[in-house]
Amino acid sequence: MQHPDEGTIHSWLDGALTPEETSAIEGHVASCAECAAVVAEARGIRAAATRILSALDDVPAGVVPTPDYFADVRAAEAASVAHRSARRPLWARPGVRAAAALIAVGGLSWAVLRSSGRVSDAGNTPMAADSMSVGSTALSALPVPDTPEVERVDQRDLAQRRATARTTNTRPRTNGPAPAMKRAQDAQSATIPERDLRQAAELEDRRRADSALRLESIVATAAPEANKSAVAGAGVGAAATAPTQQPMAAPAAPAEPPVPRIVIDRGYVDSVLAADSLETADTYLAGGRAPAAARVAAPQSDRAARSETRSETRSEARPSGSPTMMRAQGCWLLETSPWSPRYRATDTLRLLPRRIELMLDRGIADEAGERLVRPAPGEPALPIGATGIWRVIATNQVRLTIATHDRWTTVTLTVGDDSLSGTARAYSNVDRLLRRATVSARRVVCRTEP
Amino acid sequence: MDAAERLFRTYHDTLVRYLTRRLGDRDWAEEVAQETFVRALRQREIVNERAWLFTVANNLVRDEARKDSRRRRHLTLLREEARAQELAEPEPTSLERAQEAAMARRAVEALTERDRLALLMREEGLDYPEIASALGLSVGSIGTTLSRARKRLVEAYEALQRRSGDGHAAS
């Protein structure tokens, strides 16, 4: 036999050769030192390639759906079928929807499993202890049946979504005894402080908004009838404070889909759910009262007052927000520590202005409760094409994201009394290198715009 | 276990991992995987399920890449924001991991499209005929394609590592 080429050696190592070819190459390599060296190198390259590719994974390995997971999906689907089957058109038959729901919840469960995995990983470090306790509380506190939000949004779609989110959220990452764990978590939720419950409720809202959109984007488009009710459901929540949400959502609903079709439209679903979840988060915090009541109690600067006045004349912008949002909005002078690893001297575009203004104005896309952030009046403008958004991510916590097409900076800040503190992270779209700096800020008066 | 469930159970993990490696974006990967499974359910008969799923997923990615780039950018922004939150803890390891992942990503992107897809599919356990079928190549060429892809990947990665080491030494 001739010396095998590298392709043949890799085919052999991959087990892709016929038995005859395999025995031929084995015999040759056993007697040819040169080829044995090539094979050894090929083995090394093969292993190295696998290792390099595994660095790309942020998907935990070995995550598989547990058996009761499908039972949950079927139960939810059965309930839904009983409710709707009388008026269901052909294209929305149970099979189609079951399939869509199955896959949607699969993705959802995946995401949730991943996030719970993250929480447990984070628990390995002392600095993550807080987030771990909040995270696990969130999981245990998910079944909160009597929330104001449920009263407001009496939609079976939403209830079903909640039910499926609950079952998937409480499932452990490994194939452990899910029901036992659920019971333990239920027991735990009965004893945890109310403050934690509220934090958990808020976290759950964010998680729900994120996971629900997966379900909704699929179920809604596979069954436009369900879509309408889902839109109406989210709209009910938003309608009290945001009547303009409804028209914005309407065009996204498929008018006449003759064939079930998936339209992964995160933007649309986000915008429908965002108003609901955002308001709900702080409605929880305000003890279930309307956000407006909470706003009165929140400290307000002149800027906030002006913004609220403006809100009455610009209904489409609806510049109002949760207590955290109202406390955070305004102008801030940032003090940023040196970045780590430090920027190269040539890299001047750092995307974190010295003075910023957190505005109550919504962005054009109006995604997920985003508001605009910009350099405070008098500061140099952001590069052309850059966008800045901020949003409330938890009680007394906001996150800023300033981005151009190829890089971005996020700043997660805890909102104190006229101060902000937290961490900035800078990313490059190209190589995704991460830089970090600590940031503190004090409130400053926004200069009058020229 | 019905067909849909079996299909999903059998291939969901591997398809998402393949797509995540290919796209560098798990959310996008999950979206594509979902769409792939929905299409599979509409299909009356699939001869080779795994090859079919990977082929459809490849096509979906290609279609997706043609879509409005502006909207894509915005979604990227949102996703990265979510990712930033993920990376928040624990910090030292995530920095190292992010750098490793960045180098791996660049090394993978240094491959030609065909080499990259063949290698990623092989890593997910597809056999040579399946890879050949998904990429429209002859089975006989897969060994050569894979050996070239692996070699280039490792070389590119090692070059990036060296460069990164030089950079650290300089700064």
Side-chain angles (χ1 to χ4, degrees):
Chain A
M1 177 181 180
Q2 286 186 331
H3 296 302
D5 62 19
E6 286 188 24
T8 310
I9 289 174
H10 278 256
S11 302
W12 173 48
L13 295 176
D14 286 335
L17 297 182
T18 64
E20 297 76 35
E21 290 167 331
T22 303
S23 58
I25 196 171
E26 278 172 356
H28 179 82
V29 169
S31 62
C32 173
E34 191 186 333
C35 290
V38 175
V39 169
E41 189 193 1
R43 283 188 202 277
I45 285 177
R46 222 166 142 260
T50 298
R51 187 177 48 75
I52 292 167
L53 292 175
S54 70
L56 296 171
D57 295 341
D58 53 1
V59 181
V63 176
V64 291
T66 54
D68 61 332
Y69 154 83
F70 289 98
D72 293 339
V73 173
R74 290 207 173 95
E77 176 59 21
S80 167
V81 167
H83 176 55
R84 288 210 187 84
S85 56
R87 53 200 171 96
R88 176 167 311 170
L90 281 177
W91 43 261
R93 278 177 181 170
V96 174
R97 292 212 40 207
L102 174 74
I103 287 161
V105 176
L108 183 158
S109 127
W110 182 281
V112 170
L113 283 167
R114 161 167 60 90
S115 71
S116 62
R118 186 188 76 230
V119 169
S120 62
D121 289 343
N124 293 333
T125 58
M127 65 200 304
D130 282 347
S131 84
M132 182 183 68
S133 67
V134 172
S136 58
T137 305
L139 292 180
S140 61
L142 281 173
V144 183
D146 297 322
T147 60
E149 190 259 323
V150 169
E151 288 166 19
R152 276 192 295 137
V153 188
D154 181 21
Q155 287 287 327
R156 281 163 205 254
D157 270 307
L158 200 54
Q160 179 189 338
R161 189 195 308 151
R162 237 173 145 64
T164 49
R166 194 182 304 150
T167 52
T168 50
N169 271 339
T170 50
R171 180 157 300 114
R173 179 176 168 180
T174 54
N175 297 345
M181 182 140 173
K182 256 190 321 203
R183 275 197 300 279
Q185 286 170 339
D186 286 347
Q188 187 193 350
S189 70
T191 57
I192 56 178
E194 190 184 7
R195 180 179 56 83
D196 287 355
L197 265 177
R198 286 177 179 171
Q199 284 181 343
E202 187 170 356
L203 277 173
E204 192 254 344
D205 264 310
R206 285 164 43 215
R207 190 166 292 161
R208 184 169 51 85
D210 182 47
S211 54
L213 68 85
R214 294 174 185 281
L215 185 64
E216 193 148 344
S217 62
I218 286 196
V219 171
T221 47
E225 183 184 322
N227 184 29
K228 282 175 199 156
S229 64
V231 169
V236 169
T241 47
T244 54
Q245 291 291 315
Q246 195 81 356
M248 189 168 63
E256 300 177 42
V259 178
R261 185 166 175 278
I262 299 294
V263 179
I264 306 288
D265 192 340
R266 299 170 65 93
Y268 148 60
V269 181
D270 249 342
S271 64
V272 173
L273 292 176
D276 185 32
S277 62
L278 189 69
E279 296 301 339
T280 306
D282 275 317
T283 306
Y284 278 123
L285 301 173
R289 288 190 301 277
R295 275 209 302 279
V296 175
Q300 290 182 20
S301 65
D302 288 346
R303 177 82 192 174
R306 272 189 283 131
S307 292
E308 291 213 345
T309 311
R310 201 171 50 191
S311 80
E312 290 164 13
T313 57
R314 286 175 54 190
S315 62
E316 74 282 3
R318 202 171 74 95
S320 63
S322 64
T324 299
M325 184 172 277
M326 297 309 291
R327 289 176 65 202
Q329 62 82 39
C331 288
W332 299 91
L333 176 63
L334 301 182
E335 286 176 23
T336 309
S337 74
W339 292 87
S340 173
R342 66 186 186 189
Y343 275 99
R344 290 187 292 272
T346 51
D347 199 352
T348 54
L349 184 58
R350 299 180 192 186
L351 290 186
L352 196 56
R354 208 170 63 91
R355 291 170 69 248
I356 56 167
E357 179 178 11
L358 304 183
M359 308 172 75
L360 289 174
D361 301 63
R362 288 176 181 276
I364 295 168
D366 192 21
E367 304 275 358
E370 293 168 5
R371 307 302 165 101
L372 293 177
V373 57
R374 64 175 181 185
E379 288 290 309
L382 290 173
I384 290 172
T387 55
I389 56 167
W390 69 288
R391 73 173 83 175
V392 175
I393 58 167
T395 316
N396 291 334
Q397 220 177 23
V398 296
R399 178 172 298 129
L400 286 55
T401 303
I402 301 174
T404 64
H405 69 285
D406 71 343
R407 63 183 65 198
W408 56 86
T409 303
T410 69
V411 193
T412 306
L413 292 164
T414 303
V415 183
D417 294 331
D418 280 343
S419 72
L420 302 173
S421 61
T423 308
R425 293 180 174 82
Y427 301 86
S428 156
N429 235 351
V430 179
D431 58 12
R432 293 173 191 267
L433 274 180
L434 175 65
R435 289 185 171 81
R436 194 176 289 105
T438 54
V439 174
S440 60
R442 59 186 172 84
R443 188 180 284 281
V444 293
V445 178
C446 290
R447 288 183 206 161
T448 312
E449 294 183 45
Chain B
M1 195 189 296
D2 61 24
E5 184 178 326
R6 186 189 55 74
L7 200 68
F8 185 85
R9 273 173 175 278
T10 311
Y11 298 113
H12 179 266
D13 290 7
T14 182
L15 191 61
V16 169
R17 188 170 47 238
Y18 163 75
L19 288 165
T20 305
R21 287 175 168 187
R22 180 174 170 192
L23 303 171
D25 184 325
R26 184 174 48 205
D27 290 343
W28 187 7
E30 283 176 357
E31 287 173 8
V32 173
Q34 285 174 358
E35 169 93 38
T36 305
F37 281 110
V38 167
R39 292 189 181 203
L41 295 176
R42 283 190 224 137
Q43 201 77 3
R44 281 183 185 281
E45 190 184 7
I46 301 173
V47 177
N48 184 334
E49 287 168 350
R50 189 160 58 173
W52 189 93
L53 288 170
F54 278 75
T55 306
V56 169
N58 285 339
N59 291 340
L60 286 171
V61 170
R62 200 180 50 214
D63 294 348
E64 173 79 8
R66 296 187 188 129
K67 286 186 184 168
D68 179 20
S69 64
R70 183 178 166 277
R71 184 163 168 278
R72 175 107 238 126
R73 274 208 303 277
H74 188 75
L75 293 181
T76 305
L77 175 63
L78 294 178
R79 270 196 300 274
E80 292 306 334
E81 207 179 351
R83 185 153 297 148
Q85 191 179 2
E86 282 184 27
L87 285 173
E89 321 288 350
E91 304 207 342
T93 45
S94 64
L95 179 59
E96 285 168 19
R97 279 201 58 195
Q99 286 172 335
E100 264 179 37
M103 283 195 290
R105 167 67 40 207
R106 291 178 70 174
V108 166
E109 284 169 3
L111 302 181
T112 64
E113 177 85 351
R114 190 172 64 179
D115 288 3
R116 179 165 56 236
L117 298 189
L119 182 54
L120 291 176
M121 284 193 272
R122 178 62 204 167
E123 287 292 316
E124 293 308 324
L126 272 72
D127 60 27
Y128 280 29
E130 286 174 326
I131 296 170
S133 151
L135 296 180
L137 300 173
S138 74
V139 178
S141 68
I142 300 299
T144 310
T145 305
L146 285 173
S147 77
R148 183 180 54 229
R150 285 166 174 154
K151 203 168 184 177
R152 286 188 181 162
L153 177 74
V154 173
E155 285 170 357
Y157 186 83
E158 286 174 350
L160 287 165
Q161 263 185 328
R162 280 194 299 275
R163 208 181 304 164
S164 164
D166 294 348
H168 283 300
S171 62

